[in-house]
Amino acid sequence: MLPTASRGRSSSSTSRANPMYLQYLRRIVKWQQMDIEYTFWQMLQLCTSPKVVYQHTKYHKQTKNQWARDDPAFVVICSLLLAVATLAYCAAYDHSASHATFVVISVLLSHLLITGAILATCCWLLTNAYLREETPGSHVVEQPVEWLYAFDVHCNSFFPMFVLLYVIHYFISPLLVAHGFIPILLSNILFMIGASYYHYVNFLGYDVLPFLEKTTFFLYPIGVVFVLTPIFILIGFNPSRYFMNMYFSRNL
C-alpha cells in the first residue's frame, strides 16, 4: 500500500511542477509582475552575506511550498547586466558592430544560460541520485531537488563571479592583459577568487536543503582551484589574455 501511495504523490508532484514552469516562463515577458527591488537586494546580499539569501529561501519554501523562485526577475536582470558588461568590453576592444552583436549573444548564451542549464542539470541529477538523505522505514514523503531550484543556485553563484570577473575585471583589464609576471599573478588571483566564491555559494544553495547530506562535496572544486592556480602562475598562463583573445584576438 505504501509504494502505491508514494507513486500517487509523485505523479501529483509532477503535475504541480508543470504549471510552476509555465507560470515562470509567462512572467519573463511581464516586467510589471517582477519584484525588481527584492532582486537587487538579493544580488547585493549574494556579494556580502550569501547565507542571508538562503535564509530567505527557507521562508519562501514555507510560504510558497517550493524551493525555487517563482519570479524570473533575477535571471532577467542578471542577463541584462551581463549583456551591458559585454557591450562595454566590445566598445573597448572591438571595432565591428556585427562582431560585437555575436559576442554579446554568445556570452549571454554560453556563459550564463547554456552553461547554467548544464551545470544545474548535473547538480540536479547528482543531488537526487546520491545526496538525498535516506530514511528507511519512515513514512515521510521524500523531497526531490527541483531542477528550477538547481538553476536558481547557479544564477545565485554566477552573480558574485560576474561582479568580479566581468565588472571589476573590465576596469583593470588593461593591466591584466599586459605582458609580464604581475598581470599573470593578478589575473590568476582574480579568477581564483571568482571561481572559489562561485563554488562556495553553490555549496550554500544545497546545504540549506534539509533533506540532503554530504553537501560538502560541492566545496571540493575549491581545492582543485587552489591547486591549479599556482601551477598556472608558474607556467605563465594568463586567463585574462586567454579569454580576451578568444573574443577580441585581432585587437589585443
Side-chain angles (χ1 to χ4, degrees):
M1 295 300 292
L2 286 177
T4 305
S6 176
R7 284 194 294 268
R9 287 179 180 272
S10 177
S11 89
S12 171
S13 174
T14 303
S15 65
R16 285 195 303 268
N18 292 330
M20 179 182 74
Y21 286 111
L22 293 175
Q23 180 184 7
Y24 186 89
L25 292 173
R26 281 197 297 265
R27 292 183 64 179
I28 288 180
V29 295
K30 296 181 179 179
W31 186 267
Q32 66 276 12
Q33 293 186 8
M34 299 183 191
D35 193 340
I36 307 301
E37 183 178 349
Y38 179 64
T39 298
F40 280 117
W41 176 86
Q42 284 185 312
M43 289 178 169
L44 175 62
Q45 293 301 319
L46 284 168
C47 296
T48 57
S49 305
K51 289 184 179 181
V52 174
V53 174
Y54 288 112
Q55 194 64 39
H56 279 253
T57 300
K58 292 181 180 180
Y59 302 149
H60 185 271
K61 170 63 176 176
Q62 294 169 1
T63 56
K64 299 293 183 70
N65 196 30
Q66 67 182 53
W67 290 99
R69 296 187 185 99
D70 56 353
D71 184 356
F74 194 99
V75 177
V76 173
I77 293 175
C78 194
S79 299
L80 290 175
L81 292 175
L82 179 59
V84 171
T86 308
L87 280 173
Y89 278 95
C90 292
Y93 295 99
D94 206 347
H95 302 290
S96 168
S98 59
H99 185 259
T101 303
F102 166 77
V103 171
V104 171
I105 293 174
S106 62
V107 167
L108 187 60
L109 290 177
S110 62
H111 291 202
L112 176 62
L113 301 178
I114 295 177
T115 302
I118 293 173
L119 291 174
T121 301
C122 292
C123 292
W124 173 66
L125 292 172
L126 174 67
T127 51
N128 283 319
Y130 301 106
L131 301 184
R132 279 198 297 175
E133 188 175 8
E134 296 183 4
T135 52
S138 173
H139 297 286
V140 178
V141 178
E142 291 187 359
Q143 298 184 64
V145 176
E146 305 156 3
W147 184 90
L148 193 56
Y149 178 77
F151 187 71
D152 281 346
V153 172
H154 161 73
C155 292
N156 290 345
S157 305
F158 177 84
F159 184 76
M161 187 175 67
F162 161 77
V163 173
L164 285 169
L165 300 186
Y166 293 80
V167 180
I168 295 176
H169 183 280
Y170 171 78
F171 290 104
I172 60 175
S173 59
L175 171 62
L176 297 178
V177 299
H179 294 280
F181 176 75
I182 297 301
I184 292 173
L185 177 65
L186 294 178
S187 179
N188 276 282
I189 289 175
L190 187 63
F191 274 77
M192 178 187 71
I193 295 172
S196 299
Y197 202 91
Y198 174 92
H199 289 293
Y200 171 67
V201 178
N202 196 56
F203 156 74
L204 292 179
Y206 295 102
D207 189 56
V208 76
L209 301 181
F211 52 89
L212 294 184
E213 59 182 1
K214 301 177 182 177
T215 52
T216 51
F217 170 84
F218 292 103
L219 292 175
Y220 294 167
I222 297 178
V224 177
V225 171
F226 273 81
V227 170
L228 290 178
T229 298
I231 297 175
F232 289 156
I233 294 173
L234 288 174
I235 65 175
F237 174 72
N238 187 328
S240 294
R241 285 192 64 85
Y242 174 80
F243 287 108
M244 295 289 281
N245 277 316
M246 184 184 299
Y247 292 105
F248 311 111
S249 57
R250 296 180 181 178
N251 301 295
L252 289 181

